[in-house]
Amino acid sequence: MSARRRSPHALPDANGLPRPQPRTLAEARILDAVRNQAACSYAELTRETGFSRAKVSAVVADLLDNQVLTEAGIGQSAGGRRPRLVSLNPGLGFVAGVDIGATSVDTALADYRGDLVGRTSEDSDVTDGPERVLNRAAGSVERLLQQFGAAAASLHAIGIGVPAPVDHETGLVSAPPMSDWDSYPIHRHLQAAFSNAEITVDNDANIMALGEYKARPDPVEHLIFLKIGTGIGSGILLGGKIYRGNRGFAGEFGHICVDRDGPICRRCGNVGCLEAVSAGPAIARQAHEAVEQGRSPILLERLKSHGPPLSPEDVGAAAAAGDRASIQIIKQAGWWIGESLAAYVNLFNPELILIGGGVSNIGAQFLTSIRQAVLRRAHPKSTEDLRIEYGKLGAEAGIRGAISLALGRVLILEGAAAS
């Protein structure tokens, strides 16, 4: 376990301030605009919200009086008087992000500006069940609060990512690969420890998409994030907002059929799902088949030296050493993913596709094959300005997205949809 700590000069005190629930739509829209930037001028808020300058000034003055916003200095001049800037008051309290993976739980504490003030990471097996995993996450959050002498009441929101579909209306995991999590009341479990916190649960690919989106220096409004690991899932951002579909189950990318004569999908029972041929376990299975058929002396040597089972990382290392069977496995997995992504490109016309997850580390040929298939199969007009890249944040994307999810929930009007 590890923890990182920033300078505490602007951190909340032990109790923080009352949770700042917006009272009007104008307040909610202004707070949403401010949280998307480190600091905002009045002119930027006018442009972002569409409100008049007088209305922005009145609402901001009220938020300053209530200590929800704080003065953030003077900005650069655009030709006239240098603008006054405002930002969210970091002393309001804390929010927490929890990223539950198949083999780890990452937890972070942040102020209202989204700056991480502490973080922990520890090994955890999601198949241990929700009670044990959530207790571990709650314990990590409590220890982070204790580092700053902060009361539990100063924690205003928790954003949680889980490796499974989530019903956005109820916040319950639905039809997950780990059956004991199905419909488990994550909210209620954590509310017992953090009664003052708003709790929001979402699919891990969604929060990784959100984390990458918020961290980008360039404006991107339409983005698809593809997580490739033990399974394959996607987070879709349209107009800067997560697209969840009717109940929150949009983005189940791994269950697109790519090979009607392919293997049975362990997750859904259908035949030839993308996940069954291109996710981590499928790549490992193909590696063992290559060894059994005598097509890969390099993989055979790795199997002898490292022991079973072979992993996608073994395939990547063998491909880097020139192993033809491994190169072909990577190329085929990337091609199937790219062909499926082409349908997404035709449907949503994104500006950017980001590839992440553990399997994304298996080599440059993987990304090349994905790009080639998308360009070959998608409509030419949909790919004119399209970029396909690896994500920039790596494992950090999930925790950053969970923090953003928490901030989005605590700063919106009750009943409005968080992004």
Side-chain angles (χ1 to χ4, degrees):
M1 186 187 304
S2 63
R4 258 196 334 251
R5 183 168 177 171
R6 291 168 54 96
S7 169
H9 70 277
L11 295 180
D13 63 23
N15 296 309
L17 294 167
R19 191 170 65 224
Q21 186 70 54
R23 296 167 296 176
T24 67
L25 180 60
E27 283 190 1
R29 289 181 63 181
I30 284 175
L31 290 175
D32 189 55
V34 172
R35 81 181 176 96
N36 286 325
Q37 302 186 47
C40 272
S41 68
Y42 287 69
E44 288 171 327
L45 290 174
T46 299
R47 183 171 62 251
E48 290 291 322
T49 62
F51 298 144
S52 68
R53 177 61 182 264
K55 184 167 188 174
V56 166
S57 296
V59 174
V60 168
D62 191 45
L63 291 170
L64 287 168
D65 286 344
N66 287 290
Q67 302 182 68
V68 178
L69 296 181
T70 185
E71 297 280 1
I74 304 297
Q76 295 295 318
S77 171
R81 178 185 296 178
R82 295 175 66 191
R84 292 167 55 207
L85 302 178
V86 294
S87 69
L88 284 164
N89 178 3
L92 283 168
F94 293 105
V95 299
V98 177
D99 183 16
I100 297 173
T103 58
S104 66
V105 172
D106 291 339
T107 308
L109 202 62
D111 63 26
Y112 264 70
R113 290 177 181 169
D115 292 332
L116 268 59
V117 298
R119 177 169 178 177
T120 69
S121 181
E122 58 182 295
D123 293 338
S124 177
D125 189 338
V126 74
T127 61
D128 285 345
E131 289 193 15
R132 291 182 65 181
V133 173
L134 292 173
N135 285 342
R136 192 169 290 134
S140 294
V141 173
E142 288 170 347
R143 286 189 292 274
L144 287 171
L145 288 168
Q146 289 167 5
Q147 286 183 15
F148 301 102
S154 67
L155 182 68
H156 292 169
I158 304 174
I160 306 165
V162 293
V166 175
D167 187 322
H168 191 59
E169 289 185 6
T170 64
L172 299 177
V173 173
S174 179
M178 53 289 188
S179 59
D180 47 352
W181 285 76
D182 193 24
S183 298
Y184 187 82
I186 295 174
H187 289 81
R188 191 170 65 204
H189 188 111
L190 291 177
Q191 205 81 66
F194 306 105
S195 58
N196 194 48
E198 295 277 358
I199 296 169
T200 308
V201 185
D202 208 338
N203 169 261
D204 58 352
N206 282 346
I207 66 165
M208 293 178 80
L210 191 58
E212 290 279 0
Y213 169 75
K214 296 292 185 182
R216 293 197 68 83
D218 55 323
V220 174
E221 291 300 303
H222 310 293
L223 176 154
I224 291 171
F225 180 88
L226 192 63
K227 181 189 177 186
I228 308 168
T230 304
I232 299 179
S234 67
I236 305 166
L237 273 86
L238 302 178
K241 304 290 184 182
I242 294 176
Y243 176 75
R244 295 187 174 89
N246 181 40
R247 293 283 295 277
F249 304 132
E252 284 297 308
F253 187 77
H255 299 287
I256 295 172
C257 180
V258 295
D259 183 3
R260 294 188 182 279
D261 298 318
I264 294 174
C265 179
R266 297 182 306 169
R267 288 265 307 274
C268 72
N270 285 324
V271 173
C273 289
L274 178 65
E275 191 170 290
V277 297
S278 291
I283 290 172
R285 184 193 72 243
Q286 292 166 53
H288 280 280
E289 290 171 356
V291 170
E292 291 166 3
Q293 295 164 9
R295 293 186 289 111
S296 177
I298 295 179
L299 283 176
L300 174 61
E301 194 59 39
R302 289 187 70 88
L303 186 61
K304 288 178 178 178
S305 60
H306 299 134
L310 290 169
S311 68
E313 289 76 15
D314 290 318
V315 178
D323 183 68
R324 291 189 177 184
S326 296
I327 292 170
Q328 184 56 39
I329 289 170
I330 291 173
K331 287 176 68 175
Q332 184 60 69
W335 185 266
W336 270 321
I337 289 168
E339 282 201 327
S340 302
L341 272 175
Y344 263 32
V345 170
N346 288 338
L347 285 170
F348 298 116
N349 189 207
E351 303 159 70
L352 179 65
I353 294 174
L354 295 176
I355 310 297
V359 175
S360 67
N361 300 316
I362 62 174
Q365 182 60 58
F366 189 57
L367 185 61
T368 298
S369 296
I370 291 172
R371 285 174 171 157
Q372 288 173 342
V374 170
L375 293 174
R376 176 83 175 269
R377 300 293 297 175
H379 192 281
K381 297 301 290 185
S382 296
T383 59
E384 278 185 355
D385 303 313
L386 176 65
R387 290 172 289 154
I388 304 174
E389 306 169 356
Y390 284 130
K392 303 297 184 187
L393 296 183
E396 189 86 358
I399 205 67
R400 291 285 181 178
I403 291 293
S404 185
L405 192 71
L407 282 172
R409 183 65 188 90
V410 80
L411 291 174
I412 63 171
L413 282 170
E414 194 67 38
S419 65

